[in-house]
Amino acid sequence: MRKIKNRYDAESAFCELIVEAGRVIGVPSLADDEDDEEHLAQHGGSYQLTEGTLSAICECEFGDPHFIGGPAVFNFAQSVEQVNRIFERAEPVVAELTIVLQQVAPYHVNIFRADLQFIRDWMVRNC
């Protein structure tokens, strides 16, 4: 996990973790795809990721994580309750990625969860 200096870094690191988990399980990059919706519909992957999780990976790839409240949501979290709300919104996606990571790359699961916890702890400490 890289060093987090501010809330922007925390959100960026969060998005990078979601995208990296997607890559580990075989979700291709959507940055160069001209038709994202068609691409997402065709790629449930071998592991049948839900549309919500595929969309979350795409949103994170473009730094626009609406599934947790939109871009810059980490900047607006001023209390532990607000930080918890962000991570509660993320949990369905994180849980699905964790299940698939366990099947594909079990060694990556603990790192993924620990890095997410590191970001959450940093956010709580900096409320």
Side-chain angles (χ1 to χ4, degrees):
M1 173 58 56
R2 65 188 174 133
K3 185 174 180 178
I4 297 175
K5 299 174 191 169
N6 55 44
R7 290 165 193 234
Y8 175 80
D9 281 351
E11 185 168 306
S12 182
F14 174 88
C15 284
E16 288 170 12
L17 285 174
I18 298 295
V19 171
E20 176 60 20
R23 296 305 162 264
V24 168
I25 62 177
V27 176
S29 174
L30 300 174
D32 299 325
D33 198 315
E34 292 181 16
D35 190 353
D36 291 342
E37 286 186 29
E38 181 180 328
H39 193 83
L40 284 173
Q42 291 175 354
H43 188 79
S46 303
Y47 304 99
Q48 299 303 311
L49 295 174
T50 62
E51 184 177 332
T53 296
L54 289 169
S55 292
I57 294 168
C58 180
E59 290 170 9
C60 283
E61 187 169 7
F62 292 101
D64 193 15
H66 284 284
F67 76 107
I68 60 169
V73 69
F74 279 44
N75 289 325
F76 298 109
Q78 300 297 318
S79 69
V80 172
E81 180 181 88
Q82 290 170 332
V83 170
N84 287 339
R85 195 170 315 128
I86 289 169
F87 283 88
E88 286 167 7
R89 288 179 187 149
E91 188 53 34
V93 168
V94 169
E96 186 172 341
L97 288 171
T98 299
I99 289 167
V100 178
L101 280 169
Q102 186 64 47
Q103 297 170 15
V104 176
Y107 59 89
H108 195 77
V109 173
N110 292 335
I111 295 167
F112 177 64
R113 282 290 192 171
D115 287 349
L116 286 170
Q117 187 63 47
F118 176 82
I119 294 167
R120 183 182 195 149
D121 292 347
W122 186 92
M123 289 292 295
V124 167
R125 281 192 313 272
N126 289 280
C127 284

